[in-house]
Amino acid sequence: MPLKERRFPFHVHISVLLTLLLLATGMVLGFFNYRQTSQIILSGSQQLFGQIIENVEADLQNTYQPIRHLLDLLLLDERIQGSDTRQRLALLPVFTRALNDNPRLSSLYLGYADGDFFMVRPLRNETLRRTLTPPEDAAYQVWSIEHDDSGQIVSNYLYYDSRLNALPTSSNPAERYDPRTRSWYRTALGSNRQITTEPYVFFSSGDIGTTLAVPGRNGTVLAADLTLADLSATLARHRMTPSTELVLYRPDGAAVAYPGLPRQLHRVDDRVHLTPVRQLSPVLGTLFERGLQNDRRGSMRLGNKDWQVAYTELAEGGPNGLRLAVLAPEEELLADARRIRWQGAVLTLALLLFCVPLGWFMSRLLVRPLRALVSEAKAIRNFDFSHPAAGHSLVLEVDQLAVAMGHMKDTLSSFLEITSSLSAEKRFDTLLQRILRETTGFSEARCGLLYLRDEQSGALTPHGLFIDGELQSLAQHQIVAYPAGSEYVPEWLAQVANGGSTQIIDLGFDQAHGLRGLLHELDSPRVHLAATALRNRQGETLGVLVLAHPDSGELPTALRPERIAFVEALSGVAALCIESQRLLDQQKNLLDAFIQLIAGAIDAKSPYTGGHCQRVPELTFMLAQAAAASDEPPMRDYQPTAEDWEALHIAAWLHDCGKVTTPEYVVDKATKLETLYDRIHEVRMRFEVLKRDAQIDYWRGLANGEAVEHLAQARDELLATLDEEFAFIARCNLGAETSADSDLQRLRRIAGRTWQRTLDDRIGVSWEEHQRQARTPPSPLPVLEPLLADKPEHIIERPPHEIMPSDNPWGFRLDPPLHKFNRGELYNLGVRRGTLTREERFIIGDHMVQTIRMLSHLPFPKHLRNVVEIAGGHHEKMDGSGYPKRLKREQMSLPARIMAIADIFEALTAIDRPYKKGKTLSEALSIMARMCREAHIDPDLFALFVRARVPELYGQRFLRPEQLDQVDEAAILADAGMPENEKARQAQRRTKDA
């Protein structure tokens, strides 16, 4: 076999790469040795810390214990109770011997209950001698304070040489020292046992020490000053590295011993005291800022270094003992370990220099096919499935990987192609067919069947059957549905439908209940089946995909594990597509129901406009369908898509959604004086008052003796006139006819009549009405008022927030009246046409403004962005005189112009308006023809509206029979200003019919 075709196992090549493994092993071992060495050193340092602590503790015990024993022995000497200096000097040999035997003793002294004091102090250092200025040969100082018989203080300084020979003395007449005021005296006397003070700085010598005191009889206290200066030297001997920090300190943080600089342990400002530990060095300052815990040992990060820290409490050194802290930098402790590490690194580098050329040479042979596989993988990652496959490799496993990657590329290509086609499908039924076609085609199955689970009932319903790539009839092959819980559901199908895994089974004719028609079609007594569940994101089963193949004696390709795995993956994508389509349909249904709910609520708001929002969409769609089917030039390019129909549907249903803001009493205003009620009743009551006044005047005249005939004639004429005038006002109130100028003049004459009001009209009214009445001063009662009045309180001002700026973002071009309402009686009765005032017409027209503003705030998707324009344009006119934007014909879309015609026709023929009856077809079309001639509606669409017989079709569904009269199309269109065009169309129609 040629060399280039030979294949070797991968372990052969691993042996060549052992040098790299050795290198890695050396690095790991070097690191391991460094870690172990570091741990050993650090562990040894902790043991050394323990020894240091034990040595310092032993040193303290060796310092304090002899002194304690000494004080206990000296306390037994009766001479301590001497009453004067002469008797107490008998203790001088004993005290000097004790001071010489204990070099750390600074002094021995006695304090007495009467204030006497006796102290023996050796003059060991020059600092003390300079402070006390003793004679040149003096070795000891005796300080004696006693009280004479008169109570005067006698203070003397007695000096002795080394042989205890007396030397010149000195006295201090101004002595103020009293041992009874000192803490060592009071504490010892109060505790009745031997005590030890906290370490402090002796003022006279500058040494650091502590005082030990023991109480005796009769208020006598024996004390000794013990120096701790040697402790700094002791700590210095225990330094592990040059930078090791050792410090002995009191519990309050004052340093007692610190190696190297013992004189820096105290300072003088207003008094002499110990230096805080945190001021000795930066690292100690950082340590004490963090705080210490009892008997802590371990590693800490202080500053920019890692330190090994040990801390403990010592019982000796004061009433609360002392504290010892030991710190050593890890970099100095681990210096040897790091040296070993660098030596290992040099050795590793030498091995690396040897192994790199060898490794480079071997990698040249192995990397080439791997590089080809990398390029192929990158192409797959970029979804480039046309990239050439990688070549063969000497490594068997790499060659197998190349083959597997080729299969993977083919599978991914097929999977992405299928999923892309499924995701692009927008119709549900077509989606199901595509799922079956793609899965059966890829798996090479003869037959594919899809069951879907009904969301409501849970029944399994067949939705598609493919045999040999062709869609088949389910009824023809007797494929039945299975109700939920049916006992006839096959076990394999029920198991998959109820959440089970993919089932692969063989079915004979006697077992194929419900599928025998397939066996007949496949011409096989047995079939191989694979049933896979379609599950959504929540794991719920949406349906079952069944693949079938006739039995040929061997396992068909469709049932191979790799094909089943592919089908399972594809079923997941199919389930997501099905669920997405269902969710989309449900959302559309929900939106449509919500839109119709809003429209129904608007219609239900007023009993007189009920059904308007539901009838306009029907009429709009009739005309839109006629426009889409027309081949006339104006409509030839109008070919709406499914999204366009959806937008038109939503716009038609929501075209009057702004009416929710319009007051009902304005929309439903049936008479001119109606507000929340019809104020004609108030006017009637005034006429009743005038008629009662006429009767009263008649009887008053009779009582005064006037002629009966004259009084009766005047009464009857006035009553007849009042009845006639009220009947006239009642007719004007209906607004059924257009008011002439003569009618308005007569109204003003009638309004000139007066009636007498005797009650205050400013009590019992609302706060708002009272505010309006306050514009004018009240009239004294009784007062004569006109029969019909336009009062100042009838004027309701427009709030500032309702005033629309001219540069509003919606492009509204409005001409609002000055006031929001004018409820003046004469003003309302003077409306020439209909029942609405100019203010009320503006309020009704404002529903278009509110519709556009409300819809503009909805986040419509891109294909529904023109809903606002369609719904908000049905009150615009072709000549630009409409509202609310005053758009012209060329500025409006065709659907918006369609809806304008639908809205007008529905309003004219509606039978539920209180102020008019519904027009007949011919009457409504005649009015619209005039509007077309006046450029209010689109002439081409109106002509199509008439020719397509949309009014008749609409009238058969929504109008009363008496409204369905005969429509003369030619006359209507001629009246609309299109006679010649209509004649040509009729001639063309007659020719086509012939």
Side-chain angles (χ1 to χ4, degrees):
M1 180 182 293
L3 179 61
K4 65 179 181 178
E5 295 182 1
R6 296 184 63 183
R7 305 289 183 267
F8 297 96
F10 197 66
H11 67 272
V12 175
H13 301 276
I14 293 178
S15 62
V16 180
L17 302 177
L18 279 179
T19 52
L20 299 178
L21 180 60
L22 290 175
L23 177 61
T25 302
M27 295 175 64
V28 171
L29 290 177
F31 178 75
F32 177 77
N33 289 335
Y34 172 72
R35 288 292 301 273
Q36 292 298 315
T37 304
S38 300
Q39 291 179 2
I40 292 173
I41 293 174
L42 294 178
S43 176
S45 66
Q46 291 297 325
Q47 294 178 3
L48 187 56
F49 285 172
Q51 293 178 6
I52 293 173
I53 293 171
E54 291 175 1
N55 292 339
V56 173
E57 189 169 10
D59 197 0
L60 283 175
Q61 289 178 353
N62 294 334
T63 300
Y64 278 88
Q65 290 301 328
I67 306 304
R68 288 196 177 95
H69 296 325
L70 174 64
L71 291 178
D72 290 339
L73 290 175
L74 291 176
L75 194 62
L76 299 177
D77 196 329
E78 292 295 333
R79 289 173 292 184
I80 289 177
Q81 301 297 326
S83 59
D84 56 19
T85 303
R86 182 183 60 79
Q87 294 178 4
R88 295 164 187 162
L89 283 174
L91 294 171
L92 182 60
V94 178
F95 277 19
T96 55
R97 180 61 182 268
L99 291 170
N100 291 331
D101 291 343
N102 296 277
R104 294 182 180 178
L105 272 179
S106 174
S107 61
L108 283 170
Y109 44 90
L110 290 162
Y112 295 91
D114 58 358
D116 285 0
F117 180 72
F118 181 79
M119 182 180 73
V120 178
R121 174 162 49 194
L123 305 175
R124 294 192 182 104
N125 55 68
E126 292 300 324
T127 302
L128 185 60
R129 299 181 74 89
R130 285 195 301 269
T131 302
L132 301 178
T133 62
E136 183 177 355
D137 296 334
Y140 302 98
Q141 181 197 54
V142 176
W143 181 12
S144 174
I145 300 174
E146 60 182 346
H147 297 73
D148 57 15
D149 295 338
S150 62
Q152 294 295 323
I153 298 175
V154 179
S155 176
N156 294 310
Y157 297 106
L158 310 177
Y159 296 98
Y160 297 86
D161 60 13
S162 59
R163 296 183 180 182
L164 301 183
N165 295 318
L167 296 175
T169 64
S170 63
S171 63
N172 183 13
E175 184 65 67
R176 294 291 183 267
Y177 183 83
D178 189 341
R180 294 172 299 181
T181 63
R182 313 304 289 180
S183 61
W184 55 268
Y185 181 89
R186 295 198 307 270
T187 304
L189 205 60
S191 63
N192 200 25
R193 60 181 177 83
Q194 190 175 117
I195 60 96
T196 305
T197 66
E198 294 283 358
Y200 62 96
V201 178
F202 298 152
F203 181 78
S204 59
S205 64
D207 292 331
I208 298 172
T210 184
T211 299
L212 287 78
V214 58
R217 298 192 309 273
N218 302 322
T220 303
V221 175
L222 174 63
D225 286 342
L226 177 64
T227 62
L228 300 177
D230 293 342
L231 288 178
S232 296
T234 300
L235 295 180
R237 291 196 300 271
H238 292 295
R239 273 187 169 175
M240 304 166 58
T241 66
S243 300
T244 298
E245 296 277 359
L246 297 96
V247 63
L248 189 67
Y249 57 95
R250 297 189 319 204
D252 61 358
V256 174
Y258 184 67
L261 300 171
R263 284 297 174 183
Q264 290 188 2
L265 291 177
H266 62 84
R267 62 186 183 188
V268 179
D269 37 34
D270 56 338
R271 61 188 180 87
V272 179
H273 54 85
L274 294 176
T275 302
V277 175
R278 66 181 68 250
Q279 298 180 5
L280 294 177
S281 69
V283 66
L284 290 175
T286 304
L287 178 66
F288 273 73
E289 286 178 1
R290 296 188 181 180
L292 294 174
Q293 299 175 352
N294 294 343
D295 295 327
R296 161 144 189 189
R297 296 187 184 184
S299 178
M300 292 183 67
R301 185 75 176 178
L302 302 174
N304 297 323
K305 293 182 179 181
D306 292 323
W307 294 74
Q308 287 292 316
V309 179
Y311 164 79
T312 189
E313 297 180 359
L314 305 177
E316 293 289 359
N320 297 316
L322 295 176
R323 308 292 185 264
L324 177 64
V326 183
L327 299 85
E330 288 189 3
E331 63 180 4
E332 295 180 1
L333 292 173
L334 302 177
D336 291 339
R338 291 179 177 175
R339 178 179 53 80
I340 295 173
R341 182 181 64 180
W342 283 112
Q343 290 176 350
V346 172
L347 181 60
T348 301
L349 180 61
L351 291 174
L352 183 63
L353 293 176
F354 171 75
C355 295
V356 164
L358 181 61
W360 177 81
F361 174 75
M362 294 302 300
S363 64
R364 293 277 295 178
L365 299 178
L366 299 177
V367 161
R368 291 176 185 174
L370 290 176
R371 285 178 177 173
L373 288 176
V374 169
S375 299
E376 188 173 3
K378 289 182 178 179
I380 295 174
R381 184 182 63 183
N382 296 327
F383 299 99
D384 179 12
F385 299 105
S386 62
H387 191 277
H392 293 293
S393 173
L394 296 176
V395 182
L396 178 61
E397 288 78 0
V398 174
D399 190 69
Q400 292 174 346
L401 177 62
V403 175
M405 186 170 289
H407 293 322
M408 179 186 69
K409 181 171 67 174
D410 295 339
T411 303
L412 285 176
S413 177
S414 302
F415 182 80
L416 292 176
E417 182 179 354
I418 294 174
T419 54
S420 177
S421 63
L422 293 180
S423 301
E425 190 59 57
K426 297 181 180 180
R427 297 183 58 188
F428 188 70
D429 293 336
T430 309
L431 172 65
L432 298 181
Q433 294 176 14
R434 184 178 289 274
I435 290 173
L436 273 176
R437 181 185 296 111
E438 298 295 349
T439 51
T440 54
F442 181 82
S443 62
E444 299 182 9
R446 284 280 308 278
C447 173
L449 175 62
L450 179 63
Y451 289 94
L452 288 185
R453 183 188 290 276
D454 187 84
E455 292 182 301
Q456 303 298 328
S457 64
L460 285 175
T461 307
H463 276 267
L465 173 65
F466 266 79
I467 299 178
D468 294 329
E470 297 293 333
L471 182 64
Q472 303 292 327
S473 170
L474 293 168
Q476 179 181 353
H477 292 86
Q478 302 176 355
I479 307 298
V480 297
Y482 297 102
S486 173
E487 60 181 349
Y488 299 106
V489 182
E491 182 180 355
W492 57 271
L493 182 59
Q495 185 174 355
V496 176
N498 293 327
S501 58
T502 300
Q503 298 291 310
I504 301 176
I505 59 173
D506 294 336
L507 286 182
F509 190 82
D510 55 338
Q511 301 169 322
H513 301 292
L515 298 179
R516 291 176 178 175
L518 292 183
L519 271 67
H520 282 297
E521 183 67 24
L522 296 176
D523 193 18
S524 175
R526 295 188 66 83
V527 292
H528 300 284
L529 287 183
T532 301
L534 305 179
R535 295 189 177 90
N536 61 12
R537 299 176 181 87
Q538 291 75 34
E540 301 171 349
T541 301
L542 302 181
V544 178
L545 177 64
V546 180
L547 300 177
H549 201 282
D551 184 17
S552 59
E554 59 182 13
L555 184 67
T557 304
L559 302 183
R560 290 179 181 175
E562 63 273 15
R563 295 299 175 93
I564 295 298
F566 183 85
V567 170
E568 288 177 341
L570 191 59
S571 67
V573 177
L576 293 179
C577 294
I578 292 174
E579 183 184 33
S580 299
Q581 286 287 344
R582 281 183 171 178
L583 288 175
L584 183 60
D585 291 341
Q586 291 171 357
Q587 290 176 352
K588 287 183 178 180
N589 294 335
L590 176 62
L591 176 61
D592 189 59
F594 187 69
I595 291 171
Q596 296 185 29
L597 176 67
I598 295 176
I602 296 171
D603 285 342
K605 183 179 178 183
S606 170
Y608 303 120
T609 59
H612 173 76
C613 292
Q614 302 178 40
R615 293 191 292 265
V616 168
E618 297 288 343
L619 196 55
T620 300
F621 263 67
M622 288 181 181
L623 182 53
Q625 289 170 348
S630 175
D631 57 356
E632 296 296 329
M635 275 72 70
R636 185 174 298 163
D637 296 332
Y638 181 60
Q639 299 296 327
T641 63
E643 288 80 6
D644 295 331
W645 286 114
E646 182 181 3
L648 182 62
H649 171 80
I650 295 174
W653 277 95
L654 293 179
H655 77 286
D656 272 348
C657 66
K659 281 186 177 179
V660 297
T661 64
T662 306
E664 294 95 330
Y665 67 86
V666 176
V667 177
D668 301 341
K669 188 179 182 184
T671 65
K672 295 180 181 180
L673 290 178
E674 184 177 0
T675 52
L676 294 177
Y677 69 100
D678 196 340
R679 293 180 294 163
I680 190 65
H681 305 300
E682 293 184 13
V683 177
R684 179 186 294 109
M685 186 56 62
R686 296 172 199 160
F687 273 92
E688 294 287 355
V689 171
L690 291 178
K691 292 178 72 174
R692 297 298 183 276
D693 289 344
Q695 295 287 355
I696 293 171
D697 291 341
Y698 169 77
W699 290 108
R700 183 181 291 119
L702 288 180
N704 293 331
E706 297 181 19
V708 176
E709 295 81 2
H710 176 72
L711 291 174
Q713 181 181 1
R715 179 197 61 188
D716 294 339
E717 289 178 357
L718 180 56
L719 291 177
T721 301
L722 290 175
D723 288 341
E724 183 185 359
E725 288 179 349
F726 177 74
F728 172 72
I729 292 175
R731 287 194 304 274
C732 291
N733 187 43
L734 294 178
E737 300 177 357
T738 302
S739 300
D741 291 339
S742 58
D743 295 333
L744 300 180
Q745 293 174 3
R746 186 179 182 186
L747 279 174
R748 285 192 289 272
R749 287 197 304 270
I750 295 173
R753 288 185 181 274
T754 59
W755 66 286
Q756 187 177 39
R757 177 172 58 83
T758 62
L759 298 176
D760 190 353
D761 63 349
R762 301 196 178 204
I763 60 175
V765 298
S766 68
W767 176 86
E768 183 182 5
E769 185 174 356
H770 183 72
Q771 292 295 108
R772 296 199 301 271
Q773 289 176 334
R775 300 171 185 170
T776 57
S779 301
L781 298 176
V783 61
L784 291 178
E785 289 191 348
L787 190 62
L788 300 174
D790 288 344
K791 299 181 179 181
E793 55 263 31
H794 287 153
I795 302 296
I796 299 178
E797 303 295 339
R798 186 176 303 280
H801 69 271
E802 292 187 5
I803 300 176
M804 184 74 67
S806 58
D807 58 345
N808 62 86
W810 301 277
F812 298 141
R813 299 174 63 189
L814 306 174
D815 185 18
L818 179 61
H819 306 125
K820 182 173 183 178
F821 288 108
N822 186 338
R823 292 174 178 165
E825 295 166 344
L826 191 60
Y827 178 79
N828 277 265
L829 288 171
V831 173
R832 289 183 176 272
R833 184 177 180 182
T835 63
L836 300 177
T837 64
R838 181 168 179 262
E839 291 80 8
E840 291 166 339
R841 289 185 182 278
F842 181 80
I843 289 176
I844 290 181
D846 187 62
H847 81 276
M848 286 308 307
V849 172
Q850 302 304 324
T851 294
I852 294 174
R853 294 180 65 177
M854 291 166 64
L855 295 180
S856 297
H857 286 88
L858 296 181
F860 285 114
K862 183 178 180 180
H863 69 282
L864 299 179
R865 297 284 170 82
N866 56 344
V867 166
V868 181
E869 187 268 339
I870 297 174
H874 64 275
H875 281 290
E876 300 288 351
K877 297 179 181 179
M878 302 302 103
D879 61 354
S881 61
Y883 66 90
K885 298 183 179 181
R886 300 181 185 179
L887 300 176
K888 293 186 177 181
R889 181 178 186 272
E890 56 272 13
Q891 296 175 295
M892 300 173 61
S893 66
L894 185 66
R897 287 177 273 146
I898 289 175
M899 187 171 295
I901 292 177
D903 187 76
I904 294 172
F905 184 79
E906 195 284 330
L908 291 173
T909 57
I911 58 176
D912 47 14
R913 305 299 168 93
Y915 45 82
K916 69 175 186 65
K917 66 177 184 178
K919 305 290 185 182
T920 64
L921 294 180
S922 58
E923 290 174 341
L925 291 176
S926 296
I927 295 174
M928 295 180 69
R930 185 176 68 252
M931 297 174 69
C932 181
R933 190 171 59 251
E934 295 173 354
H936 289 176
I937 59 177
D938 188 292
D940 296 323
L941 284 174
F942 178 69
L944 177 65
F945 183 67
V946 175
R947 289 194 304 272
R949 301 185 182 277
V950 174
E952 290 90 334
L953 296 175
Y954 172 79
Q956 293 172 4
R957 295 178 56 189
F958 297 103
L959 301 183
R960 291 176 178 176
E962 59 268 23
Q963 293 178 272
L964 304 178
D965 61 348
Q966 188 67 31
V967 175
D968 187 347
E969 295 182 14
I972 294 294
L973 294 176
D975 190 23
M978 297 177 290
E980 297 180 359
N981 191 26
E982 183 56 27
K983 290 180 181 178
R985 294 179 189 279
Q986 290 181 355
Q988 184 179 2
R989 186 182 304 169
R990 287 193 297 269
T991 302
K992 185 181 296 184
D993 293 340

